[in-house]
Amino acid sequence: ISYSKADNCIYAGLEDSKVWEYPVVAVYDADTLKFTGRYYILDKALHTRGLPWVAVDNDRGLLITLDHSKKANKLIFYDIADNMKYVGSVKLSETVRSIQGAEMYGGMLYAATNDDTQAVYKIDPKSGDVSKYPLLSSSPAYMQLSALE
């Protein structure tokens, strides 16, 4: 489960294991963490390999997902205020592999990957431009991860 918060709600992407028949976004109250009873089944034709994460663009009122969990080629957008109506997609400037989670910050989407480089990617959700930020071996995060192995 991966989630993003907007309007005191937590939007959580749920997967049905390796079947990927029902890409579901469930909505939880951010204060109580209780399920609100609201959920949305997204178009599985647009999500060909699950829904491992969702992100919320609060400035534009959009839920952001991707087309494929192992090799993303485009971002997919839904209007939160209009019952998760599909509003379009943006092709990425390059394929991003194995995104494990993403979050909006300063108008950009930052995506953490589980690929060979363990990189974080900065993605412009309007243009699809992708920039890669590798996890440096001298960073505290890298040292903590290395200690776990």
Side-chain angles (χ1 to χ4, degrees), residues 48-96:
T48 57
R49 198 168 191 276
L51 192 65
W53 59 267
V54 298
V56 173
D57 182 339
N58 283 302
D59 294 338
R60 299 191 298 161
L62 299 175
L63 182 92
I64 304 171
T65 66
L66 73 167
D67 61 332
H68 194 282
S69 65
K70 292 292 184 187
K71 50 183 188 225
N73 292 301
K74 65 182 172 180
L75 297 177
I76 300 169
F77 302 94
Y78 295 91
D79 187 333
I80 294 171
D82 194 9
N83 285 326
M84 293 299 172
K85 178 182 174 187
Y86 169 76
V87 293
S89 64
V90 170
K91 183 170 176 31
L92 300 179
S93 63
E94 65 181 85
T95 298
V96 182

Side-chain angles (χ1 to χ4, degrees), residues 31-137:
D31 292 328
T32 65
L33 302 181
K34 291 184 179 179
F35 178 55
T36 65
R38 292 184 312 171
Y39 66 93
Y40 305 93
I41 299 174
L42 305 182
D43 186 348
K44 72 178 182 177
L46 296 175
H47 304 279
T48 57
R49 198 168 191 276
L51 192 65
W53 59 267
V54 298
V56 173
D57 182 339
N58 283 302
D59 294 338
R60 299 191 298 161
L62 299 175
L63 182 92
I64 304 171
T65 66
L66 73 167
D67 61 332
H68 194 282
S69 65
K70 292 292 184 187
K71 50 183 188 225
N73 292 301
K74 65 182 172 180
L75 297 177
I76 300 169
F77 302 94
Y78 295 91
D79 187 333
I80 294 171
D82 194 9
N83 285 326
M84 293 299 172
K85 178 182 174 187
Y86 169 76
V87 293
S89 64
V90 170
K91 183 170 176 31
L92 300 179
S93 63
E94 65 181 85
T95 298
V96 182
R97 299 194 179 280
S98 300
I99 297 176
Q100 296 299 302
E103 197 60 56
M104 289 293 294
Y105 179 76
M108 295 291 157
L109 183 70
Y110 291 87
T113 64
N114 189 24
D115 63 4
D116 293 339
T117 66
Q118 302 287 299
V120 172
Y121 290 82
K122 177 182 174 183
I123 303 170
D124 183 329
K126 293 179 182 175
S127 70
D129 186 49
V130 175
S131 302
K132 183 178 181 180
Y133 295 93
L135 187 57
L136 301 175
S137 60

